[in-house]
Amino acid sequence: MLRVAGRRLSSSLSWRPAAAAGARGPLAGASGPGRDDDDNSARQPRVAIESPFFTAVRGFSSSETLVPQNQDAGLAQLPATVAALKNPNSKVLYDQYNHERYPPGDPSKRAFAYFVLSGGRFVYASLLRLLVLKFVLSMSASKDVLALASLEVDLSSIEPGTTVTVKWRGKPVFIRRRTDDDIKLANSVDVASLRHPQEDAERVKNPEWLVVIGVCTHLGCIPLPNSGDFGGWFCPCHGSHYDISGRIRKGPAPFNLEVPTYSFLEDNKMLIG
């Protein structure tokens, strides 16, 4: 505000000497040229625009900029935009360096363009690979299911003529250790008379051991071991009878008891699944 007030004061004083001289025109001619020169020289310090008094009041002279003189040297080293902000005037020069652009197809930017395109495609390919792996792994069996996919059974504790039930994949599995009489009885059956014809040798890997899934082929009930009219299994739900080889002999069941996949790891150790 002081600077604005000083500028207005200097502009109001700049025209007063000329106006005063015009008003004293007749008196000046009467007094003579010698007196005019003396008066002008005597009055000059009181109305001079460059007087130290008025300079101190305004804070700057008409030829000075708004920036202090001790900072003028630093403006030449600043960018054009920064210098224009520090010293506002009608002639503002902006730095055009940041506005430079390479023309289309310039060989100097070809390497950068290839790098950006290749990097983007690599990222897209990695994301696509990750999504495919996630999708494939989501359809595979979990660890708990894989743990139940196979079952190892110790056969040393099973007595001849007895049946042991184990759980495999959520289903009961009957393991029967057959005696010689059981084996002879299973082989003496007329296969042609069976509803689901199967030889006993087709259903066992070792005649001493019979392994079947304990689910009735009628409606999924669990048959009772060592019971029925044929000494095998009996389903009390609808009266299906299975023989010592797990073959259907009587009742509504259409098929024999299913034989799972199994193998003998040792003489007294079996792997189901």
Side-chain angles (χ1 to χ4, degrees), residues 28-96:
S31 59
R35 185 177 178 83
D36 249 348
D37 294 339
D38 296 338
D39 293 341
N40 287 337
S41 60
R43 289 194 300 269
Q44 182 65 27
R46 291 182 296 174
V47 297
I49 301 305
E50 299 303 329
S51 174
F53 172 74
F54 291 107
T55 302
V57 172
R58 291 182 306 173
F60 57 90
S61 64
S62 59
S63 61
E64 292 178 342
T65 62
L66 295 179
V67 180
Q69 294 182 356
N70 57 355
Q71 297 183 6
D72 290 342
L75 291 177
Q77 301 175 359
L78 295 176
T81 305
V82 179
L85 292 175
K86 290 183 175 294
N87 185 24
N89 54 65
S90 59
K91 296 180 180 181
V92 180
L93 299 177
Y94 293 95
D95 187 6
Q96 300 295 328

Side-chain angles (χ1 to χ4, degrees), residues 120-187:
R121 291 172 182 174
F122 177 77
V123 172
Y124 294 151
S126 301
L127 292 177
L128 180 61
R129 173 182 173 274
L130 181 61
L131 292 177
V132 171
L133 289 178
K134 290 290 185 181
F135 177 73
V136 172
L137 293 177
S138 65
M139 296 188 295
S140 61
S142 58
K143 292 183 179 180
D144 56 344
V145 175
L146 293 176
L148 298 175
S150 60
L151 177 65
E152 189 174 322
V153 182
D154 185 9
L155 306 177
S156 60
S157 60
I158 303 176
E159 298 293 334
T162 59
T163 303
V164 174
T165 304
V166 296
K167 187 177 181 181
W168 174 69
R169 294 184 180 178
K171 300 178 181 179
V173 175
F174 298 146
I175 302 176
R176 183 181 181 94
R177 188 172 185 179
R178 302 188 297 182
T179 61
D180 294 339
D181 295 338
D182 295 337
I183 297 173
K184 291 178 181 180
L185 180 62
N187 291 323

